[in-house]
Amino acid sequence: MLSLTAFTTRTSFLTRFLSTSTSTSSKKSSILHPCIRSVLIRRPPPNFALGLTTPSFGKPINTDYGIALRQWLRYVNVFENRGIKTISLPPLDENCPDAVFVEDTSIFFKSQHESNSESVAVICENMAEERRPEVESMKEVVLGLEDESLGGKFDRVEYVNGEGEKLDGGDVLKCPVSNKVYVGLSSRSNALGVKKLQYLLPDHEVVGVPITKVLHLKSCVTALPDGRIIGYDPLVDDKEIFGSEYFSVPEEGGAHVVILDEKTLLIAASAPKTAELLSKEGYDLEIVDIDQFEKLEGCVTCLSVRRR
């Protein structure tokens, strides 16, 4: 892990990259808008260590709130230092220890067809009972978005709230180079949730992915700008679902990346081998230490909801 004075590190690899035969220009171009316009975040509550986890993690979890808060602030700084607007959701009371993991409450989509630039927010209303106040808070902010510098008003705000439907944002992975959306079939999301999302997004192909070893799909796989799905093999139930686009990484933390732009990724400090591997693949990296959140099965994706 990095020291507290070096949670956020800019890793430049231009010289090494130019000396390799692989160039990002030879890879698929992204049709997911590469630039993040704004991110929604929520300050971690003092009792965040009481958040929901898979049973194998057990309780209590030994965390340090002071360290966690500094880590979260440095995570937020990565976006702000790039000129990305941050929207702070209101703090919630002690009954919502998971509130910092805002990604689970909603998913933002932007049409990938030039002829239709529709923006859609999907609110995951049928979350775990303990987390319903987080959903209401997110809904209020999403419905009130008007500022064009933050992305403006959504063209559609939809809800996953039908009987039996379950969907968490942490289970939803959008492919940057196609209309494919992977959804983890987990303890938090189910086949009815997948069916509802497909109904709400008719121009997308929504694919259910069975997962049994992690809390959410994005706990074991995320996507690179060129469309490859990166994953940590011991936690992936069936990598064949992702076909030839699957790319194995050597560390659990390395399976979690946030696309900042077409050549830059945000990744946790817990994955130095993966960071080196991705550098050789031609990517710039922003590295943050979030080990206090990783103790709760958190990762770099779940601490924000990003709007492109």
Side-chain angles (χ1 to χ4, degrees), residues 63-126:
T63 59
D64 185 304
Y65 180 67
I67 294 175
L69 186 56
R70 290 192 291 273
Q71 290 180 344
W72 179 81
L73 289 169
R74 287 174 170 83
Y75 172 87
V76 173
N77 284 344
V78 169
F79 298 104
E80 293 179 338
N81 291 342
R82 299 177 68 86
I84 297 169
K85 306 276 188 174
T86 56
I87 305 169
S88 293
L89 295 160
L92 299 175
D93 63 27
E94 66 276 3
N95 294 318
C96 298
D98 284 293
V100 68
F101 302 119
V102 294
E103 183 184 48
D104 295 333
T105 61
S106 58
I107 314 114
F108 298 161
F109 293 90
K110 184 78 170 179
S111 172
Q112 298 174 4
H113 301 289
E114 291 183 2
S115 60
N116 180 4
S117 59
E118 183 181 50
S119 60
V120 183
V122 177
I123 307 296
C124 305
E125 288 197 306
N126 281 2

Side-chain angles (χ1 to χ4, degrees), residues 8 102 134 141 190 266 281 293:
T8 306
V102 294
E134 300 174 46
V141 171
N190 62 12
L266 174 62
E281 286 288 314
F293 301 100

Side-chain angles (χ1 to χ4, degrees), residues 80-307:
E80 293 179 338
N81 291 342
R82 299 177 68 86
I84 297 169
K85 306 276 188 174
T86 56
I87 305 169
S88 293
L89 295 160
L92 299 175
D93 63 27
E94 66 276 3
N95 294 318
C96 298
D98 284 293
V100 68
F101 302 119
V102 294
E103 183 184 48
D104 295 333
T105 61
S106 58
I107 314 114
F108 298 161
F109 293 90
K110 184 78 170 179
S111 172
Q112 298 174 4
H113 301 289
E114 291 183 2
S115 60
N116 180 4
S117 59
E118 183 181 50
S119 60
V120 183
V122 177
I123 307 296
C124 305
E125 288 197 306
N126 281 2
M127 293 182 65
E129 188 66 34
E130 302 94 319
R131 304 195 65 184
R132 299 293 170 84
E134 300 174 46
V135 179
E136 291 304 312
S137 172
M138 174 65 77
K139 185 195 308 184
E140 184 177 345
V141 171
V142 167
L143 291 173
L145 283 175
E146 299 284 351
D147 190 336
E148 287 299 325
S149 70
L150 301 175
K153 187 176 181 179
F154 283 95
D155 296 310
R156 281 195 290 136
V157 178
E158 303 286 0
Y159 303 91
V160 176
N161 57 10
E163 184 176 354
E165 297 171 352
K166 294 172 61 177
L167 186 70
D168 267 19
D171 274 319
V172 180
L173 176 62
K174 293 166 277 187
C175 179
V177 299
S178 74
N179 67 347
K180 187 170 289 186
V181 178
Y182 295 104
V183 179
L185 297 172
S186 68
S187 62
R188 307 294 187 86
S189 303
N190 62 12
L192 287 176
V194 171
K195 184 178 180 180
K196 180 61 169 285
L197 190 61
Q198 181 65 84
Y199 171 78
L200 296 175
L201 304 171
D203 60 342
H204 288 70
E205 177 189 1
V206 182
V207 180
V209 180
I211 57 171
T212 61
K213 303 173 185 178
V214 290
L215 187 65
H216 287 120
L217 178 63
K218 282 187 280 191
S219 300
C220 62
V221 295
T222 51
L224 295 176
D226 62 11
R228 285 179 293 173
I229 304 299
I230 60 172
Y232 180 56
D233 286 359
L235 300 181
V236 179
D237 285 76
D238 183 9
K239 61 186 180 183
E240 298 303 320
I241 288 178
F242 308 110
S244 61
E245 299 299 328
Y246 182 79
F247 180 62
S248 178
V249 296
E251 297 142 318
E252 180 177 353
H256 319 137
V257 298
V258 172
I259 299 172
L260 295 175
D261 60 37
E262 289 184 326
K263 60 176 291 188
T264 312
L265 306 171
L266 174 62
I267 190 171
S270 59
K273 294 178 182 178
T274 304
E276 182 178 6
L277 181 62
L278 293 173
S279 290
K280 291 178 180 178
E281 286 288 314
Y283 292 107
D284 289 320
L285 304 175
E286 293 279 4
I287 302 175
V288 292
D289 191 345
I290 56 164
D291 72 325
Q292 299 300 298
F293 301 100
E294 289 174 322
K295 292 176 181 180
L296 290 151
E297 300 179 86
C299 62
V300 291
T301 67
C302 61
L303 294 171
S304 63
V305 186
R306 298 152 302 275
R307 186 173 186 186

